[in-house]
Structure formats: C-alpha cells, structure tokens
Amino acid sequence: MKTKKKKSYLVSPSDRIFDIVMTGLPTVYLIVLFAIPAIAGLYFSFTNFGGFDMNVKWVGFTHYIKMLKDNIFWRSVGNYFKLYVGSSLVCFPLAFIGAVALTKNPLLKEREFYRVLFFLPCAIPSMIISIMWITMFNPTFGVFNSIIQALGGEPVLWLGDTNIVMYSLIIVVVWRQMGFYMAYLMAGVSNIPDDIYESARIDGANDFVQTVKITVPLTWDVITTSMLFFVKGAINLGFGLVYIITRGGPDNASQIISSYMYYQITTNQNYGYASAISVAMLVITMLLSLFILKVMKRETYEY
C-alpha cells in the first residue's frame, strides 16, 4: 500500500523579506503614530504639562477629578451622543434605501450618475462645506429662513439657538456622510445573488418583504461595520464642523468632546487637562463600539 508523501513548501529568502516588510511597515506605522502618542497622552494626563517644556509635575488624578465635576465636559459628552445617535437614525436608513434603490432597481439607468452625485459631498473639504452651510443657516438671507418666511413663518436662529444648534449640525453631518455609507452599503447589496430574489419573487414576496427578509439580514455585517466607522466619523467630522461653524456655541450648546479638548489646548493652554479629556474620549468611543457590536450581534447568514 502506497503512502502519499506530504509536500514540503520551502519559503525563499525573498518571500521572507517580503513578509517582514509587509508586516513590519504597518506595525512601525501603528507604533509611531498611534501607540507612542497614546501612551504619551496618558502620561501627560497625570501631569501639569503646559505644552512648551518638559518640566512637568506629577499631579495624579487631579485632572480626572476635575473632569468628573466639569459640567461643560458632561455636556460635550451628551452632545456627542446626540450627534452620533441623531445622525445615525437619519443617515443609515436613507443610505440603505438609496443603496437598495440604486442597486436593485432595473428601471434605473443613471445609477452611476446618482452614485457620484450622492458621494460628491464626501469629497468636498470640511472648510468649504462649513462656509456653505453657515451661509444657508444665516438668519437674514439664508436659504432655509427665506423659504420659511416665504411660507409666512418666522426666521429661525439655526446656529444661535441652544435648543436647535445640534439639530442643525446633524443635518450637515447627514448631508456630508450619507453618500459615503450609501456607496459602502451598495457594495454589500450588490453581492447578494439575484437568484435569491428571484426565488422569493416566485414565492410571492414583494419588494418590501424581499428587502426586510433578504437584503437586511444578508447585509447585516456591512451595516454593523458602517456604524462602527461612524463612531470615529462623528468624532473627527463633528470636530471640524463644530470648530468652524459654531466654535462650540452658543453657550457650549454644540460643544462635543473633541472640540472641548481642543478648546482646552488652544484657549486655556491646559495640555494636561486636555490629555485627560482625550483619554476619556478614547474610553467613550471604545465603550460605544463595544455596545454597537453587542447590540448588532446577529447570526451570520451565508449565500
């Protein structure tokens, strides 16, 4: 009886060099640009670091105790959650509907045009977007108030009312991000075989039932990943919009964690306290990400 010989795979020196380079460069990149700054920020959060020299004094948990008593910090945390939750509740349903409509509608011939059209806001710099929306929100000659006044209503202080300003920023975030996540979801929807929809159609399922019973379950992992990306996006994009459009005002009503941290650095020159806020921001985003993974956990469907 013959026995099969196991094939031996030899790794050439060039393959080893390639593996080392391809794994080493990202590792060095992560260590230099992420790990070291994160460790430094954690260290400075326990000191009175002023940003100009290394003559620092260890202050322990002073900044963290101050942070727990800081009403503006807690307001910025609440505003961040309001920005994330509010934007998510509007952005993802619209992005998903757009992804399904542009992918599964056989009568739509201009899907590439609409894909570019919706994705275009993502390619525009935040500065230009902010200036554009500041003009649109202007209480005197802005587009929105002009429409409201034409209909007989009173002008609204979109950026000057503490009760409205965060909703105004949510509108900007949704407009900016919807096209990106729509394109991302389109990739997931387009990978679903048409045979599944054809079988469901033969069984009498209409378009709505197909979307709920087929498209949503089979793209659930893509939706979960998109929401995790959005956690980071709410911090980064939110900071740029808040800093340019409102500067955290009025009366800190639009202040979010990242903008409040930047305020402590640039205005108060309090790098130690800002480092403590950055640590809190890291913890909050990690907890939010874990919460999303827990809530969105579902059985994986294969096709």
Side-chain angles (χ1 to χ4, degrees):
M1 183 176 179
K2 294 182 178 180
T3 58
K4 293 183 178 180
K5 293 183 179 180
K6 294 183 178 179
K7 293 182 179 180
S8 60
Y9 297 93
L10 298 177
V11 180
S12 64
S14 60
D15 291 336
R16 291 184 182 276
I17 294 174
F18 178 80
D19 292 341
I20 293 173
V21 172
M22 296 306 294
T23 57
L25 288 178
T27 303
V28 172
Y29 173 82
L30 290 174
I31 292 175
V32 173
L33 296 182
F34 291 95
I36 294 178
I39 295 173
L42 179 62
Y43 168 74
F44 289 132
S45 68
F46 295 101
T47 68
N48 64 343
F49 179 56
F52 298 101
D53 56 58
M54 294 304 296
N55 295 323
V56 297
K57 179 182 177 182
W58 186 265
V59 297
F61 289 93
T62 302
H63 295 311
Y64 292 95
I65 296 173
K66 176 183 177 181
M67 186 171 58
L68 293 175
K69 299 178 180 179
D70 190 347
N71 293 329
I72 300 178
F73 167 75
W74 289 112
R75 191 172 190 179
S76 69
V77 173
N79 288 336
Y80 166 68
F81 280 104
K82 184 184 294 185
L83 181 66
Y84 177 80
V85 174
S87 302
S88 300
L89 291 177
V90 179
C91 182
F92 283 101
L94 291 178
F96 186 81
I97 292 172
V100 173
L102 294 179
T103 305
K104 297 301 180 181
N105 187 354
L107 300 179
L108 187 63
K109 305 300 182 182
E110 302 83 6
R111 58 170 53 90
E112 295 298 330
F113 168 76
Y114 287 111
R115 180 186 296 187
V116 174
L117 181 65
F118 285 114
F119 190 81
L120 185 62
C122 303
I124 302 176
S126 297
M127 177 65 74
I128 298 176
I129 288 176
S130 301
I131 294 174
M132 180 185 73
W133 280 96
I134 288 174
T135 305
M136 295 178 68
F137 284 136
N138 188 281
T140 305
F141 55 82
V143 174
F144 294 112
N145 277 347
S146 297
I147 296 174
I148 292 174
Q149 289 177 308
L151 297 175
E154 295 293 327
V156 178
L157 295 176
W158 297 96
L159 303 177
D161 191 329
T162 56
N163 298 318
I164 298 177
V165 63
M166 282 305 301
Y167 299 103
S168 302
L169 292 176
I170 288 173
I171 293 174
V172 181
V173 172
V174 171
W175 179 84
R176 172 75 186 277
Q177 294 296 91
M178 190 198 75
F180 174 82
Y181 290 101
M182 186 187 72
Y184 188 78
L185 291 171
M186 284 179 67
V189 175
S190 61
N191 286 331
I192 303 175
D194 293 333
D195 296 344
I196 300 178
Y197 291 100
E198 186 64 28
S199 300
R201 196 174 295 111
I202 294 174
D203 292 338
N206 56 29
D207 292 339
F208 178 78
V209 174
Q210 292 178 37
T211 301
V212 175
K213 298 293 185 179
I214 298 175
T215 309
V216 172
L218 293 181
T219 57
W220 193 257
D221 290 341
V222 180
I223 297 173
T224 303
T225 305
S226 301
M227 296 192 70
L228 290 175
F229 284 161
F230 204 64
V231 173
K232 177 176 175 292
I235 283 287
N236 293 340
L237 179 63
F239 164 74
L241 296 177
V242 167
Y243 180 74
I244 299 172
I245 297 178
T246 65
R247 296 295 177 95
D251 193 26
N252 295 301
S254 63
Q255 199 80 263
I256 62 175
I257 313 173
S258 52
S259 63
Y260 188 52
M261 176 190 69
Y262 188 75
Y263 170 81
Q264 291 296 330
I265 295 174
T266 57
T267 304
N268 294 345
Q269 300 289 313
N270 196 341
Y271 285 77
Y273 187 43
S275 298
I277 295 175
S278 69
V279 173
M281 182 170 61
L282 174 63
V283 173
I284 290 171
T285 52
M286 288 179 62
L287 291 176
L288 181 57
S289 300
L290 292 174
F291 176 77
I292 292 172
L293 287 174
K294 182 69 175 178
V295 172
M296 301 287 290
K297 187 177 181 179
R298 294 289 189 276
E299 181 182 354
T300 303
Y301 295 91
E302 297 181 356
Y303 50 86

